[in-house]
PDB file of all heavy atoms in Angstrom:
ATOM      1  N   TRP X   1       9.458   6.124   4.156  1.00  0.00           N
ATOM      2  CA  TRP X   1       9.294   6.525   5.553  1.00  0.00           C
ATOM      3  C   TRP X   1      10.417   7.476   5.975  1.00  0.00           C
ATOM      4  O   TRP X   1      10.183   8.494   6.633  1.00  0.00           O
ATOM      5  CB  TRP X   1       9.286   5.288   6.432  1.00  0.00           C
ATOM      6  CG  TRP X   1       8.737   5.477   7.811  1.00  0.00           C
ATOM      7  CD1 TRP X   1       8.477   6.654   8.442  1.00  0.00           C
ATOM      8  CD2 TRP X   1       8.375   4.442   8.728  1.00  0.00           C
ATOM      9  NE1 TRP X   1       7.987   6.428   9.709  1.00  0.00           N
ATOM     10  CE2 TRP X   1       7.911   5.070   9.915  1.00  0.00           C
ATOM     11  CE3 TRP X   1       8.412   3.055   8.684  1.00  0.00           C
ATOM     12  CZ2 TRP X   1       7.488   4.350  11.027  1.00  0.00           C
ATOM     13  CZ3 TRP X   1       7.983   2.345   9.789  1.00  0.00           C
ATOM     14  CH2 TRP X   1       7.522   2.978  10.940  1.00  0.00           C
ATOM     15  N   LEU X   2      11.634   7.163   5.572  1.00  0.00           N
ATOM     16  CA  LEU X   2      12.757   8.035   5.910  1.00  0.00           C
ATOM     17  C   LEU X   2      12.607   9.402   5.240  1.00  0.00           C
ATOM     18  O   LEU X   2      12.866  10.445   5.851  1.00  0.00           O
ATOM     19  CB  LEU X   2      14.073   7.382   5.498  1.00  0.00           C
ATOM     20  CG  LEU X   2      14.473   6.149   6.320  1.00  0.00           C
ATOM     21  CD1 LEU X   2      15.672   5.464   5.681  1.00  0.00           C
ATOM     22  CD2 LEU X   2      14.785   6.536   7.759  1.00  0.00           C
ATOM     23  N   LYS X   3      12.187   9.405   3.971  1.00  0.00           N
ATOM     24  CA  LYS X   3      12.000  10.681   3.272  1.00  0.00           C
ATOM     25  C   LYS X   3      10.874  11.487   3.907  1.00  0.00           C
ATOM     26  O   LYS X   3      10.985  12.717   4.064  1.00  0.00           O
ATOM     27  CB  LYS X   3      11.701  10.430   1.794  1.00  0.00           C
ATOM     28  CG  LYS X   3      11.569  11.707   0.963  1.00  0.00           C
ATOM     29  CD  LYS X   3      12.864  12.503   0.967  1.00  0.00           C
ATOM     30  CE  LYS X   3      12.756  13.723   0.059  1.00  0.00           C
ATOM     31  NZ  LYS X   3      14.025  14.501   0.032  1.00  0.00           N
ATOM     32  N   ALA X   4       9.787  10.815   4.273  1.00  0.00           N
ATOM     33  CA  ALA X   4       8.686  11.516   4.932  1.00  0.00           C
ATOM     34  C   ALA X   4       9.158  12.162   6.231  1.00  0.00           C
ATOM     35  O   ALA X   4       8.809  13.312   6.531  1.00  0.00           O
ATOM     36  CB  ALA X   4       7.539  10.539   5.207  1.00  0.00           C
ATOM     37  N   THR X   5       9.977  11.444   6.988  1.00  0.00           N
ATOM     38  CA  THR X   5      10.511  11.994   8.234  1.00  0.00           C
ATOM     39  C   THR X   5      11.367  13.225   7.963  1.00  0.00           C
ATOM     40  O   THR X   5      11.282  14.227   8.673  1.00  0.00           O
ATOM     41  CB  THR X   5      11.339  10.923   8.970  1.00  0.00           C
ATOM     42  OG1 THR X   5      10.514   9.781   9.216  1.00  0.00           O
ATOM     43  CG2 THR X   5      11.868  11.451  10.296  1.00  0.00           C
ATOM     44  N   ALA X   6      12.193  13.152   6.910  1.00  0.00           N
ATOM     45  CA  ALA X   6      13.037  14.290   6.548  1.00  0.00           C
ATOM     46  C   ALA X   6      12.211  15.499   6.126  1.00  0.00           C
ATOM     47  O   ALA X   6      12.661  16.647   6.271  1.00  0.00           O
ATOM     48  CB  ALA X   6      13.995  13.892   5.427  1.00  0.00           C
ATOM     49  N   LEU X   7      10.996  15.256   5.618  1.00  0.00           N
ATOM     50  CA  LEU X   7      10.101  16.344   5.203  1.00  0.00           C
ATOM     51  C   LEU X   7       9.170  16.787   6.331  1.00  0.00           C
ATOM     52  O   LEU X   7       8.243  17.569   6.094  1.00  0.00           O
ATOM     53  CB  LEU X   7       9.266  15.888   4.003  1.00  0.00           C
ATOM     54  CG  LEU X   7      10.029  15.670   2.691  1.00  0.00           C
ATOM     55  CD1 LEU X   7       9.113  15.040   1.644  1.00  0.00           C
ATOM     56  CD2 LEU X   7      10.593  16.992   2.169  1.00  0.00           C
ATOM     57  N   ASN X   8       9.396  16.278   7.547  1.00  0.00           N
ATOM     58  CA  ASN X   8       8.537  16.595   8.697  1.00  0.00           C
ATOM     59  C   ASN X   8       7.099  16.130   8.487  1.00  0.00           C
ATOM     60  O   ASN X   8       6.147  16.762   8.957  1.00  0.00           O
ATOM     61  CB  ASN X   8       8.580  18.095   9.008  1.00  0.00           C
ATOM     62  CG  ASN X   8       9.961  18.550   9.421  1.00  0.00           C
ATOM     63  OD1 ASN X   8      10.590  17.949  10.297  1.00  0.00           O
ATOM     64  ND2 ASN X   8      10.457  19.606   8.788  1.00  0.00           N
ATOM     65  N   LEU X   9       6.953  15.012   7.785  1.00  0.00           N
ATOM     66  CA  LEU X   9       5.660  14.361   7.631  1.00  0.00           C
ATOM     67  C   LEU X   9       5.618  13.134   8.532  1.00  0.00           C
ATOM     68  O   LEU X   9       6.653  12.542   8.848  1.00  0.00           O
ATOM     69  CB  LEU X   9       5.436  13.922   6.179  1.00  0.00           C
ATOM     70  CG  LEU X   9       5.243  15.027   5.145  1.00  0.00           C
ATOM     71  CD1 LEU X   9       5.267  14.448   3.742  1.00  0.00           C
ATOM     72  CD2 LEU X   9       3.916  15.757   5.388  1.00  0.00           C
ATOM     73  N   ASP X  10       4.411  12.745   8.925  1.00  0.00           N
ATOM     74  CA  ASP X  10       4.237  11.531   9.715  1.00  0.00           C
ATOM     75  C   ASP X  10       3.720  10.414   8.818  1.00  0.00           C
ATOM     76  O   ASP X  10       3.165  10.651   7.732  1.00  0.00           O
ATOM     77  CB  ASP X  10       3.304  11.804  10.888  1.00  0.00           C
ATOM     78  CG  ASP X  10       3.953  12.730  11.909  1.00  0.00           C
ATOM     79  OD1 ASP X  10       4.971  12.335  12.504  1.00  0.00           O
ATOM     80  OD2 ASP X  10       3.462  13.870  12.081  1.00  0.00           O
ATOM     81  N   PHE X  11       3.870   9.175   9.301  1.00  0.00           N
ATOM     82  CA  PHE X  11       3.774   8.010   8.424  1.00  0.00           C
ATOM     83  C   PHE X  11       3.123   6.857   9.175  1.00  0.00           C
ATOM     84  O   PHE X  11       3.358   6.661  10.357  1.00  0.00           O
ATOM     85  CB  PHE X  11       5.198   7.624   8.009  1.00  0.00           C
ATOM     86  CG  PHE X  11       5.334   6.707   6.835  1.00  0.00           C
ATOM     87  CD1 PHE X  11       5.509   7.216   5.561  1.00  0.00           C
ATOM     88  CD2 PHE X  11       5.346   5.330   6.999  1.00  0.00           C
ATOM     89  CE1 PHE X  11       5.687   6.374   4.473  1.00  0.00           C
ATOM     90  CE2 PHE X  11       5.520   4.477   5.922  1.00  0.00           C
ATOM     91  CZ  PHE X  11       5.695   5.003   4.654  1.00  0.00           C
ATOM     92  N   ASN X  12       2.301   6.104   8.461  1.00  0.00           N
ATOM     93  CA  ASN X  12       1.720   4.893   9.027  1.00  0.00           C
ATOM     94  C   ASN X  12       1.691   3.811   7.954  1.00  0.00           C
ATOM     95  O   ASN X  12       1.339   4.083   6.797  1.00  0.00           O
ATOM     96  CB  ASN X  12       0.298   5.152   9.537  1.00  0.00           C
ATOM     97  CG  ASN X  12      -0.284   3.954  10.268  1.00  0.00           C
ATOM     98  OD1 ASN X  12      -0.670   2.970   9.663  1.00  0.00           O
ATOM     99  ND2 ASN X  12      -0.359   4.054  11.580  1.00  0.00           N
ATOM    100  N   LEU X  13       2.060   2.605   8.336  1.00  0.00           N
ATOM    101  CA  LEU X  13       1.999   1.465   7.425  1.00  0.00           C
ATOM    102  C   LEU X  13       0.621   0.811   7.495  1.00  0.00           C
ATOM    103  O   LEU X  13       0.083   0.608   8.579  1.00  0.00           O
ATOM    104  CB  LEU X  13       3.064   0.428   7.799  1.00  0.00           C
ATOM    105  CG  LEU X  13       4.516   0.857   7.605  1.00  0.00           C
ATOM    106  CD1 LEU X  13       5.448  -0.149   8.280  1.00  0.00           C
ATOM    107  CD2 LEU X  13       4.856   0.975   6.129  1.00  0.00           C
ATOM    108  N   ILE X  14       0.067   0.468   6.347  1.00  0.00           N
ATOM    109  CA  ILE X  14      -1.236  -0.206   6.289  1.00  0.00           C
ATOM    110  C   ILE X  14      -0.977  -1.663   5.904  1.00  0.00           C
ATOM    111  O   ILE X  14      -1.173  -2.090   4.761  1.00  0.00           O
ATOM    112  CB  ILE X  14      -2.182   0.491   5.287  1.00  0.00           C
ATOM    113  CG1 ILE X  14      -2.234   1.985   5.563  1.00  0.00           C
ATOM    114  CG2 ILE X  14      -3.590  -0.107   5.383  1.00  0.00           C
ATOM    115  CD1 ILE X  14      -2.752   2.342   6.947  1.00  0.00           C
ATOM    116  N   SER X  15      -0.512  -2.439   6.862  1.00  0.00           N
ATOM    117  CA  SER X  15      -0.084  -3.813   6.605  1.00  0.00           C
ATOM    118  C   SER X  15      -1.194  -4.742   6.105  1.00  0.00           C
ATOM    119  O   SER X  15      -0.896  -5.672   5.338  1.00  0.00           O
ATOM    120  CB  SER X  15       0.546  -4.404   7.870  1.00  0.00           C
ATOM    121  OG  SER X  15       1.691  -3.661   8.240  1.00  0.00           O
ATOM    122  N   PRO X  16      -2.472  -4.577   6.501  1.00  0.00           N
ATOM    123  CA  PRO X  16      -3.498  -5.492   5.987  1.00  0.00           C
ATOM    124  C   PRO X  16      -3.600  -5.531   4.473  1.00  0.00           C
ATOM    125  O   PRO X  16      -4.096  -6.516   3.911  1.00  0.00           O
ATOM    126  CB  PRO X  16      -4.791  -4.943   6.617  1.00  0.00           C
ATOM    127  CG  PRO X  16      -4.348  -4.268   7.862  1.00  0.00           C
ATOM    128  CD  PRO X  16      -3.022  -3.651   7.518  1.00  0.00           C
ATOM    129  N   VAL X  17      -3.127  -4.494   3.799  1.00  0.00           N
ATOM    130  CA  VAL X  17      -3.190  -4.460   2.334  1.00  0.00           C
ATOM    131  C   VAL X  17      -2.338  -5.579   1.727  1.00  0.00           C
ATOM    132  O   VAL X  17      -2.593  -6.019   0.608  1.00  0.00           O
ATOM    133  CB  VAL X  17      -2.751  -3.067   1.825  1.00  0.00           C
ATOM    134  CG1 VAL X  17      -2.608  -3.037   0.321  1.00  0.00           C
ATOM    135  CG2 VAL X  17      -3.763  -2.013   2.265  1.00  0.00           C
ATOM    136  N   GLU X  18      -1.345  -6.073   2.482  1.00  0.00           N
ATOM    137  CA  GLU X  18      -0.518  -7.164   1.974  1.00  0.00           C
ATOM    138  C   GLU X  18      -1.333  -8.389   1.589  1.00  0.00           C
ATOM    139  O   GLU X  18      -0.943  -9.147   0.695  1.00  0.00           O
ATOM    140  CB  GLU X  18       0.510  -7.577   3.029  1.00  0.00           C
ATOM    141  CG  GLU X  18       1.666  -6.635   3.200  1.00  0.00           C
ATOM    142  CD  GLU X  18       2.688  -7.199   4.171  1.00  0.00           C
ATOM    143  OE1 GLU X  18       2.329  -7.507   5.317  1.00  0.00           O
ATOM    144  OE2 GLU X  18       3.857  -7.340   3.767  1.00  0.00           O
ATOM    145  N   SER X  19      -2.447  -8.602   2.269  1.00  0.00           N
ATOM    146  CA  SER X  19      -3.234  -9.811   2.036  1.00  0.00           C
ATOM    147  C   SER X  19      -4.266  -9.658   0.919  1.00  0.00           C
ATOM    148  O   SER X  19      -5.100 -10.547   0.719  1.00  0.00           O
ATOM    149  CB  SER X  19      -3.942 -10.226   3.333  1.00  0.00           C
ATOM    150  OG  SER X  19      -4.854  -9.228   3.746  1.00  0.00           O
ATOM    151  N   MET X  20      -4.217  -8.551   0.168  1.00  0.00           N
ATOM    152  CA  MET X  20      -5.220  -8.292  -0.873  1.00  0.00           C
ATOM    153  C   MET X  20      -4.802  -8.814  -2.244  1.00  0.00           C
ATOM    154  O   MET X  20      -5.450  -8.515  -3.253  1.00  0.00           O
ATOM    155  CB  MET X  20      -5.499  -6.789  -0.954  1.00  0.00           C
ATOM    156  CG  MET X  20      -5.860  -6.133   0.359  1.00  0.00           C
ATOM    157  SD  MET X  20      -7.340  -6.811   1.131  1.00  0.00           S
ATOM    158  CE  MET X  20      -8.612  -5.973   0.216  1.00  0.00           C
ATOM    159  N   VAL X  21      -3.741  -9.609  -2.301  1.00  0.00           N
ATOM    160  CA  VAL X  21      -3.182 -10.078  -3.576  1.00  0.00           C
ATOM    161  C   VAL X  21      -4.236 -10.733  -4.456  1.00  0.00           C
ATOM    162  O   VAL X  21      -4.312 -10.469  -5.667  1.00  0.00           O
ATOM    163  CB  VAL X  21      -2.019 -11.060  -3.316  1.00  0.00           C
ATOM    164  CG1 VAL X  21      -1.530 -11.670  -4.619  1.00  0.00           C
ATOM    165  CG2 VAL X  21      -0.885 -10.363  -2.598  1.00  0.00           C
ATOM    166  N   ASP X  22      -5.050 -11.606  -3.879  1.00  0.00           N
ATOM    167  CA  ASP X  22      -6.040 -12.366  -4.651  1.00  0.00           C
ATOM    168  C   ASP X  22      -7.448 -11.800  -4.513  1.00  0.00           C
ATOM    169  O   ASP X  22      -8.409 -12.455  -4.946  1.00  0.00           O
ATOM    170  CB  ASP X  22      -6.019 -13.828  -4.193  1.00  0.00           C
ATOM    171  CG  ASP X  22      -4.695 -14.505  -4.479  1.00  0.00           C
ATOM    172  OD1 ASP X  22      -4.217 -14.420  -5.629  1.00  0.00           O
ATOM    173  OD2 ASP X  22      -4.126 -15.118  -3.551  1.00  0.00           O
ATOM    174  N   ASN X  23      -7.571 -10.628  -3.937  1.00  0.00           N
ATOM    175  CA  ASN X  23      -8.885 -10.007  -3.764  1.00  0.00           C
ATOM    176  C   ASN X  23      -9.246  -9.266  -5.055  1.00  0.00           C
ATOM    177  O   ASN X  23      -8.767  -8.166  -5.317  1.00  0.00           O
ATOM    178  CB  ASN X  23      -8.847  -9.049  -2.571  1.00  0.00           C
ATOM    179  CG  ASN X  23     -10.216  -8.540  -2.178  1.00  0.00           C
ATOM    180  OD1 ASN X  23     -10.954  -8.025  -3.001  1.00  0.00           O
ATOM    181  ND2 ASN X  23     -10.552  -8.676  -0.899  1.00  0.00           N
ATOM    182  N   ALA X  24     -10.100  -9.897  -5.863  1.00  0.00           N
ATOM    183  CA  ALA X  24     -10.408  -9.361  -7.194  1.00  0.00           C
ATOM    184  C   ALA X  24     -11.045  -7.976  -7.121  1.00  0.00           C
ATOM    185  O   ALA X  24     -10.758  -7.103  -7.951  1.00  0.00           O
ATOM    186  CB  ALA X  24     -11.322 -10.336  -7.947  1.00  0.00           C
ATOM    187  N   ALA X  25     -11.919  -7.756  -6.141  1.00  0.00           N
ATOM    188  CA  ALA X  25     -12.588  -6.455  -6.023  1.00  0.00           C
ATOM    189  C   ALA X  25     -11.581  -5.359  -5.718  1.00  0.00           C
ATOM    190  O   ALA X  25     -11.656  -4.259  -6.272  1.00  0.00           O
ATOM    191  CB  ALA X  25     -13.665  -6.516  -4.947  1.00  0.00           C
ATOM    192  N   PHE X  26     -10.624  -5.652  -4.824  1.00  0.00           N
ATOM    193  CA  PHE X  26      -9.592  -4.665  -4.490  1.00  0.00           C
ATOM    194  C   PHE X  26      -8.705  -4.393  -5.693  1.00  0.00           C
ATOM    195  O   PHE X  26      -8.431  -3.231  -6.036  1.00  0.00           O
ATOM    196  CB  PHE X  26      -8.763  -5.174  -3.316  1.00  0.00           C
ATOM    197  CG  PHE X  26      -7.705  -4.217  -2.843  1.00  0.00           C
ATOM    198  CD1 PHE X  26      -8.012  -3.200  -1.952  1.00  0.00           C
ATOM    199  CD2 PHE X  26      -6.395  -4.320  -3.286  1.00  0.00           C
ATOM    200  CE1 PHE X  26      -7.044  -2.308  -1.512  1.00  0.00           C
ATOM    201  CE2 PHE X  26      -5.412  -3.447  -2.848  1.00  0.00           C
ATOM    202  CZ  PHE X  26      -5.738  -2.437  -1.960  1.00  0.00           C
ATOM    203  N   CYS X  27      -8.241  -5.442  -6.344  1.00  0.00           N
ATOM    204  CA  CYS X  27      -7.360  -5.268  -7.499  1.00  0.00           C
ATOM    205  C   CYS X  27      -8.034  -4.471  -8.613  1.00  0.00           C
ATOM    206  O   CYS X  27      -7.390  -3.647  -9.273  1.00  0.00           O
ATOM    207  CB  CYS X  27      -6.910  -6.633  -8.030  1.00  0.00           C
ATOM    208  SG  CYS X  27      -5.868  -7.583  -6.884  1.00  0.00           S
ATOM    209  N   SER X  28      -9.334  -4.700  -8.799  1.00  0.00           N
ATOM    210  CA  SER X  28     -10.042  -4.010  -9.881  1.00  0.00           C
ATOM    211  C   SER X  28     -10.146  -2.505  -9.642  1.00  0.00           C
ATOM    212  O   SER X  28     -10.283  -1.730 -10.597  1.00  0.00           O
ATOM    213  CB  SER X  28     -11.438  -4.606 -10.053  1.00  0.00           C
ATOM    214  OG  SER X  28     -12.261  -4.308  -8.939  1.00  0.00           O
ATOM    215  N   LEU X  29     -10.078  -2.077  -8.381  1.00  0.00           N
ATOM    216  CA  LEU X  29     -10.104  -0.635  -8.095  1.00  0.00           C
ATOM    217  C   LEU X  29      -8.943   0.076  -8.781  1.00  0.00           C
ATOM    218  O   LEU X  29      -9.032   1.262  -9.108  1.00  0.00           O
ATOM    219  CB  LEU X  29     -10.026  -0.393  -6.584  1.00  0.00           C
ATOM    220  CG  LEU X  29     -11.221  -0.814  -5.731  1.00  0.00           C
ATOM    221  CD1 LEU X  29     -10.924  -0.523  -4.265  1.00  0.00           C
ATOM    222  CD2 LEU X  29     -12.487  -0.100  -6.168  1.00  0.00           C
ATOM    223  N   PHE X  30      -7.852  -0.643  -8.978  1.00  0.00           N
ATOM    224  CA  PHE X  30      -6.642  -0.059  -9.545  1.00  0.00           C
ATOM    225  C   PHE X  30      -6.357  -0.552 -10.964  1.00  0.00           C
ATOM    226  O   PHE X  30      -5.281  -0.307 -11.509  1.00  0.00           O
ATOM    227  CB  PHE X  30      -5.453  -0.358  -8.622  1.00  0.00           C
ATOM    228  CG  PHE X  30      -5.696   0.022  -7.197  1.00  0.00           C
ATOM    229  CD1 PHE X  30      -5.986  -0.945  -6.242  1.00  0.00           C
ATOM    230  CD2 PHE X  30      -5.684   1.351  -6.800  1.00  0.00           C
ATOM    231  CE1 PHE X  30      -6.236  -0.600  -4.931  1.00  0.00           C
ATOM    232  CE2 PHE X  30      -5.936   1.708  -5.491  1.00  0.00           C
ATOM    233  CZ  PHE X  30      -6.212   0.729  -4.554  1.00  0.00           C
ATOM    234  N   GLY X  31      -7.329  -1.262 -11.535  1.00  0.00           N
ATOM    235  CA  GLY X  31      -7.177  -1.739 -12.905  1.00  0.00           C
ATOM    236  C   GLY X  31      -6.140  -2.833 -13.056  1.00  0.00           C
ATOM    237  O   GLY X  31      -5.522  -2.966 -14.120  1.00  0.00           O
ATOM    238  N   LEU X  32      -5.947  -3.648 -12.007  1.00  0.00           N
ATOM    239  CA  LEU X  32      -4.933  -4.698 -12.020  1.00  0.00           C
ATOM    240  C   LEU X  32      -5.585  -6.072 -11.902  1.00  0.00           C
ATOM    241  O   LEU X  32      -6.606  -6.215 -11.235  1.00  0.00           O
ATOM    242  CB  LEU X  32      -3.943  -4.504 -10.868  1.00  0.00           C
ATOM    243  CG  LEU X  32      -3.152  -3.196 -10.865  1.00  0.00           C
ATOM    244  CD1 LEU X  32      -2.321  -3.091  -9.586  1.00  0.00           C
ATOM    245  CD2 LEU X  32      -2.250  -3.092 -12.099  1.00  0.00           C
ATOM    246  N   PRO X  33      -5.004  -7.091 -12.525  1.00  0.00           N
ATOM    247  CA  PRO X  33      -5.547  -8.444 -12.402  1.00  0.00           C
ATOM    248  C   PRO X  33      -5.238  -9.036 -11.036  1.00  0.00           C
ATOM    249  O   PRO X  33      -4.188  -8.773 -10.446  1.00  0.00           O
ATOM    250  CB  PRO X  33      -4.823  -9.211 -13.513  1.00  0.00           C
ATOM    251  CG  PRO X  33      -3.520  -8.490 -13.682  1.00  0.00           C
ATOM    252  CD  PRO X  33      -3.829  -7.032 -13.431  1.00  0.00           C
ATOM    253  N   ALA X  34      -6.145  -9.841 -10.525  1.00  0.00           N
ATOM    254  CA  ALA X  34      -5.945 -10.477  -9.231  1.00  0.00           C
ATOM    255  C   ALA X  34      -4.826 -11.507  -9.311  1.00  0.00           C
ATOM    256  O   ALA X  34      -4.651 -12.187 -10.324  1.00  0.00           O
ATOM    257  CB  ALA X  34      -7.238 -11.139  -8.765  1.00  0.00           C
ATOM    258  N   GLY X  35      -4.054 -11.594  -8.239  1.00  0.00           N
ATOM    259  CA  GLY X  35      -3.029 -12.609  -8.128  1.00  0.00           C
ATOM    260  C   GLY X  35      -1.697 -12.283  -8.757  1.00  0.00           C
ATOM    261  O   GLY X  35      -0.725 -13.020  -8.567  1.00  0.00           O
ATOM    262  N   ARG X  36      -1.608 -11.187  -9.488  1.00  0.00           N
ATOM    263  CA  ARG X  36      -0.374 -10.871 -10.220  1.00  0.00           C
ATOM    264  C   ARG X  36       0.489  -9.818  -9.531  1.00  0.00           C
ATOM    265  O   ARG X  36       1.667  -9.690  -9.854  1.00  0.00           O
ATOM    266  CB  ARG X  36      -0.722 -10.383 -11.636  1.00  0.00           C
ATOM    267  CG  ARG X  36      -1.483 -11.407 -12.479  1.00  0.00           C
ATOM    268  CD  ARG X  36      -0.651 -12.641 -12.735  1.00  0.00           C
ATOM    269  NE  ARG X  36      -1.337 -13.614 -13.552  1.00  0.00           N
ATOM    270  CZ  ARG X  36      -1.277 -13.650 -14.889  1.00  0.00           C
ATOM    271  NH1 ARG X  36      -0.579 -12.730 -15.534  1.00  0.00           N
ATOM    272  NH2 ARG X  36      -1.925 -14.568 -15.559  1.00  0.00           N
ATOM    273  N   TYR X  37      -0.093  -9.065  -8.600  1.00  0.00           N
ATOM    274  CA  TYR X  37       0.639  -7.964  -7.956  1.00  0.00           C
ATOM    275  C   TYR X  37       0.583  -8.108  -6.434  1.00  0.00           C
ATOM    276  O   TYR X  37      -0.455  -8.453  -5.865  1.00  0.00           O
ATOM    277  CB  TYR X  37       0.047  -6.606  -8.351  1.00  0.00           C
ATOM    278  CG  TYR X  37       0.348  -6.223  -9.781  1.00  0.00           C
ATOM    279  CD1 TYR X  37      -0.419  -6.723 -10.827  1.00  0.00           C
ATOM    280  CD2 TYR X  37       1.413  -5.377 -10.082  1.00  0.00           C
ATOM    281  CE1 TYR X  37      -0.132  -6.383 -12.146  1.00  0.00           C
ATOM    282  CE2 TYR X  37       1.707  -5.037 -11.401  1.00  0.00           C
ATOM    283  CZ  TYR X  37       0.934  -5.549 -12.419  1.00  0.00           C
ATOM    284  OH  TYR X  37       1.221  -5.220 -13.724  1.00  0.00           O
ATOM    285  N   GLY X  38       1.702  -7.851  -5.798  1.00  0.00           N
ATOM    286  CA  GLY X  38       1.733  -7.731  -4.359  1.00  0.00           C
ATOM    287  C   GLY X  38       1.433  -6.291  -3.956  1.00  0.00           C
ATOM    288  O   GLY X  38       1.724  -5.354  -4.707  1.00  0.00           O
ATOM    289  N   PHE X  39       0.850  -6.109  -2.774  1.00  0.00           N
ATOM    290  CA  PHE X  39       0.423  -4.787  -2.330  1.00  0.00           C
ATOM    291  C   PHE X  39       0.999  -4.437  -0.955  1.00  0.00           C
ATOM    292  O   PHE X  39       1.265  -5.300  -0.129  1.00  0.00           O
ATOM    293  CB  PHE X  39      -1.103  -4.709  -2.225  1.00  0.00           C
ATOM    294  CG  PHE X  39      -1.821  -4.807  -3.531  1.00  0.00           C
ATOM    295  CD1 PHE X  39      -2.360  -6.020  -3.949  1.00  0.00           C
ATOM    296  CD2 PHE X  39      -1.962  -3.694  -4.350  1.00  0.00           C
ATOM    297  CE1 PHE X  39      -3.038  -6.117  -5.157  1.00  0.00           C
ATOM    298  CE2 PHE X  39      -2.635  -3.782  -5.562  1.00  0.00           C
ATOM    299  CZ  PHE X  39      -3.174  -5.003  -5.969  1.00  0.00           C
ATOM    300  N   HIS X  40       1.175  -3.167  -0.755  1.00  0.00           N
ATOM    301  CA  HIS X  40       1.364  -2.594   0.578  1.00  0.00           C
ATOM    302  C   HIS X  40       0.872  -1.152   0.479  1.00  0.00           C
ATOM    303  O   HIS X  40       0.536  -0.685  -0.619  1.00  0.00           O
ATOM    304  CB  HIS X  40       2.817  -2.653   1.037  1.00  0.00           C
ATOM    305  CG  HIS X  40       2.953  -2.866   2.514  1.00  0.00           C
ATOM    306  ND1 HIS X  40       2.335  -2.050   3.446  1.00  0.00           N
ATOM    307  CD2 HIS X  40       3.629  -3.804   3.229  1.00  0.00           C
ATOM    308  CE1 HIS X  40       2.612  -2.479   4.653  1.00  0.00           C
ATOM    309  NE2 HIS X  40       3.394  -3.543   4.567  1.00  0.00           N
ATOM    310  N   ALA X  41       0.789  -0.468   1.602  1.00  0.00           N
ATOM    311  CA  ALA X  41       0.261   0.898   1.576  1.00  0.00           C
ATOM    312  C   ALA X  41       0.748   1.663   2.789  1.00  0.00           C
ATOM    313  O   ALA X  41       1.198   1.091   3.779  1.00  0.00           O
ATOM    314  CB  ALA X  41      -1.266   0.884   1.542  1.00  0.00           C
ATOM    315  N   CYS X  42       0.653   2.977   2.692  1.00  0.00           N
ATOM    316  CA  CYS X  42       1.041   3.846   3.800  1.00  0.00           C
ATOM    317  C   CYS X  42       0.155   5.087   3.807  1.00  0.00           C
ATOM    318  O   CYS X  42      -0.482   5.427   2.808  1.00  0.00           O
ATOM    319  CB  CYS X  42       2.516   4.241   3.695  1.00  0.00           C
ATOM    320  SG  CYS X  42       2.929   5.216   2.221  1.00  0.00           S
ATOM    321  N   ILE X  43       0.139   5.737   4.959  1.00  0.00           N
ATOM    322  CA  ILE X  43      -0.562   7.011   5.131  1.00  0.00           C
ATOM    323  C   ILE X  43       0.473   8.094   5.371  1.00  0.00           C
ATOM    324  O   ILE X  43       1.409   7.924   6.163  1.00  0.00           O
ATOM    325  CB  ILE X  43      -1.522   6.966   6.333  1.00  0.00           C
ATOM    326  CG1 ILE X  43      -2.551   5.853   6.180  1.00  0.00           C
ATOM    327  CG2 ILE X  43      -2.209   8.318   6.526  1.00  0.00           C
ATOM    328  CD1 ILE X  43      -3.584   6.082   5.129  1.00  0.00           C
ATOM    329  N   LEU X  44       0.308   9.219   4.688  1.00  0.00           N
ATOM    330  CA  LEU X  44       1.123  10.411   4.929  1.00  0.00           C
ATOM    331  C   LEU X  44       0.241  11.491   5.545  1.00  0.00           C
ATOM    332  O   LEU X  44      -0.916  11.642   5.162  1.00  0.00           O
ATOM    333  CB  LEU X  44       1.703  10.953   3.624  1.00  0.00           C
ATOM    334  CG  LEU X  44       2.777  10.160   2.889  1.00  0.00           C
ATOM    335  CD1 LEU X  44       3.199  10.934   1.652  1.00  0.00           C
ATOM    336  CD2 LEU X  44       3.962   9.895   3.789  1.00  0.00           C
TER     337      LEU X  44
END
């Protein structure tokens, strides 16, 4: 977020992604097993 600000980019946090840890369909989009990875996301 700080780097984006320094580059004159705007930023948004996608906090609902935090709860996708055990969502098998979501994890499979990225080729990852469910339950093994924590998630977060942002928009630039």
Side-chain angles (χ1 to χ4, degrees):
W1 197 347
L2 291 171
K3 183 62 176 181
T5 302
L7 292 172
N8 297 310
L9 291 171
D10 291 296
F11 196 93
N12 186 285
L13 293 168
I14 309 299
S15 298
V17 172
E18 285 185 303
S19 63
M20 307 300 280
V21 174
D22 296 310
N23 190 307
F26 183 84
C27 295
S28 68
L29 292 178
F30 308 103
L32 299 174
R36 300 296 181 90
Y37 288 82
F39 293 98
H40 214 306
C42 63
I43 302 289
L44 291 181

